[in-house]
Amino acid sequence: MEKTIALIPGDGIGPDVVAEAVNVLNAIAKKYNHTWIYKDVIAGGRAIDMFKNPLPKDQLDICLRADSVLLGAVGGPKWDNVDPSIRPEKALLGLRGGMKVYANLRPAVMFPQLKAACPLKDEIVGDGLDILIVRELTGGIYFGDRGFASDGRSAYDTEKYSWEEIERIVRIGFEAAKGRRKILTVVDKANILNTSRLWRTVAESVKPEYPDVELNYLYIDNAAMQLVRNPKQFDVIATSNMFGDILSDEASQITGSIGMLASASLGNGKGPGLYEPIHGSAPDIAGKNLANPLATILSAAMMLRYDFKLEDEAKSIENAVQEVLNEGYRTGDIAGADRDAVKAAGKLVGTKEMGKLVVEHLK
Ligand code: NAD
């Protein structure tokens, strides 16, 4: 298979972690006989420095022409005080909008090897967690009509969803659940919000197409509580933009490390998807060979699975990550309280070594 991949290393640790994901992708290409053609894209702070624009149109066009897009992270203190209209985060919104990716898939996986980093009790997490949160990304209250009264003493934001916007998210939820443990939970606030009632109506209308998937509903307040009380009950969660924003951060915390979590943003499947770690540009450790590249490497695995339909290759990367962790290798962020012991065993590794270990463990 030959595919074009747009690479947006971005700022801070972005280039560090994307370089390792590229090494892993190249090793997969070699093993499984594929060809990846990379196109470099300049976005975020670097693009502000060079073009006074966090996402110039010609750079977005490179992404739109590619088969898939891999992003590191953008932003950093250097650009904290630039004009709000050209802040680095505008590159993310520009990419999501321009690429028309409307569903954000965030697996919240707690690797059993990293249990010590999980803030929940042993009896709650057991042998690990594996939840997939499907968040609506381009609608709802973050995009609705808003304003301030002229005296600045009142303000409003509007939550608005159409049947179509909900249906395409619910479908992704059902499809994902079908290939997993077959439970889809729609999270809403249907006791109060009309939009939430519409989410339920749409989910019910799609349900007959997925007779083997169990569909249930939870109010957002209860879901937030259940995530820390009994997270194992969840398989796939589908929800609106704002509720998904909050729940996915909560879920990432209970898995222990931000440096391990991947994400995919998908549209209707006709254009490229956007794959990125959930962490930011971590300017405190940029360029120091300290960043954990595994979230970006696992994002590349999601790219192979969702954009290129290469399940074996995606699994190969995921299994290699598991093996490297099983053998006790850790970057600083996931060494946790065992840091000294890990170091004494010679298994405290940097960004480059971790990338190399994954490559060596690919089957
Ligand atoms: P952050 O995720 O960059 O860092 C939070 C903490 O986690 C830091 O201590 C950092 O060192 C650590 N960390 C993050 N990723 C790590 C990794 N892979 N390995 C080891 N440690 C890791 O969040 P922040 O500090 O709030 O934001 C820093 C900058 O990143 C800001 O400018 C912010 O706007 C930007 N940001 C970008 C994105 C994105 O590009 N998608 C997302 C969030 C934040």
Side-chain angles (χ1 to χ4, degrees):
M1 174 183 286
E2 182 178 302
K3 293 285 182 191
T4 302
I5 301 172
L7 294 177
I8 316 178
D11 308 310
I13 60 168
D16 306 355
V17 292
V18 167
E20 296 317 312
V22 166
N23 287 340
V24 172
L25 282 169
N26 287 343
I28 285 284
K30 207 165 164 195
K31 260 188 202 324
Y32 289 84
N33 207 14
H34 301 302
T35 304
W36 316 134
I37 300 161
Y38 299 108
K39 301 280 180 194
D40 282 325
V41 174
I42 301 169
R46 227 181 116 209
I48 297 172
D49 288 350
M50 291 173 73
F51 315 116
K52 297 205 170 1
N53 179 347
L55 184 66
K57 187 175 174 306
D58 59 341
Q59 302 298 304
L60 171 63
D61 285 344
I62 299 173
C63 297
L64 295 177
R65 282 197 300 269
D67 296 305
S68 195
V69 181
L70 183 66
L71 166 75
V74 297
K78 184 177 175 194
W79 303 281
D80 275 353
N81 297 317
V82 298
D83 187 282
S85 65
I86 58 162
R87 280 187 62 84
E89 298 75 29
K90 292 269 173 189
L92 301 175
L93 295 178
L95 281 165
R96 288 171 188 162
M99 292 172 65
K100 297 194 170 58
V101 286
Y102 49 74
N104 183 237
L105 275 65
R106 271 213 207 177
V109 179
M110 197 204 79
F111 294 84
Q113 304 90 335
L114 304 180
K115 216 167 159 176
C118 173
L120 300 183
K121 285 185 187 150
D122 236 30
E123 61 258 36
I124 293 177
V125 288
D127 55 357
L129 289 177
D130 183 1
I131 302 167
L132 177 69
I133 299 186
V134 182
R135 166 189 170 193
E136 199 287 324
L137 203 56
T138 56
I141 199 163
Y142 292 178
F143 289 85
D145 186 27
R146 70 192 58 185
F148 276 99
S150 55
D151 65 0
R153 292 176 65 84
S154 67
Y156 69 97
D157 299 278
T158 320
E159 172 94 339
K160 189 173 169 194
Y161 271 114
S162 70
W163 186 289
E164 292 71 26
E165 282 175 311
I166 300 169
E167 184 177 333
R168 61 195 189 183
I169 300 300
V170 168
R171 268 186 199 286
I172 289 177
F174 272 113
E175 281 294 329
K178 202 169 90 175
R180 296 170 44 107
R181 297 197 308 281
K182 301 186 173 45
I183 308 168
L184 174 64
T185 305
V186 169
V187 170
D188 59 32
K189 191 72 184 167
N191 49 342
I192 296 180
L193 301 176
N194 279 333
T195 43
S196 290
R197 290 182 197 121
L198 186 61
W199 273 76
R200 290 196 180 199
T201 308
V202 175
E204 285 301 320
S205 80
V206 177
K207 183 179 161 184
E209 294 172 43
Y210 297 89
D212 52 342
V213 176
E214 179 191 325
L215 170 67
N216 53 47
Y217 304 97
L218 270 188
Y219 297 145
I220 176 66
D221 40 349
N222 192 10
M225 192 172 70
Q226 294 297 332
L227 257 181
V228 290
R229 223 176 106 174
N230 179 16
K232 280 179 139 354
Q233 70 186 282
F234 295 110
D235 179 17
V236 179
I237 292 175
T239 189
S240 64
N241 202 343
M242 181 163 63
F243 295 158
D245 189 7
I246 298 164
L247 279 191
S248 53
D249 268 18
E250 185 188 357
S252 71
Q253 273 307 302
I254 62 178
T255 63
S257 173
I258 195 167
M260 294 296 301
L261 297 174
S263 86
S265 298
L266 308 178
N268 62 7
K270 292 185 183 129
L274 176 64
Y275 298 83
E276 57 184 311
I278 72 155
H279 60 70
S281 60
D284 49 331
I285 54 168
K288 296 182 180 165
N289 196 34
L290 288 175
N292 183 348
L294 293 178
T296 313
I297 289 171
L298 291 167
S299 301
M302 290 184 86
M303 164 188 287
L304 298 179
R305 169 172 297 123
Y306 291 110
D307 269 357
F308 304 163
K309 313 286 178 239
L310 296 174
E311 182 62 28
D312 288 351
E313 287 83 339
K315 274 264 155 53
S316 169
I317 295 177
E318 289 163 354
N319 290 341
V321 168
Q322 291 278 5
E323 278 188 37
V324 171
L325 294 176
N326 279 340
E327 289 176 16
Y329 293 101
R330 304 282 187 269
T331 45
D333 60 311
I334 52 174
D338 300 334
R339 192 187 173 94
D340 289 345
V342 174
K343 196 169 177 188
K347 295 192 169 175
L348 188 64
V349 296
T351 314
K352 293 192 173 85
E353 295 74 23
M354 187 53 104
K356 192 158 170 266
L357 281 162
V358 175
V359 167
E360 285 166 5
H361 284 75
L362 290 172
K363 291 219 176 67

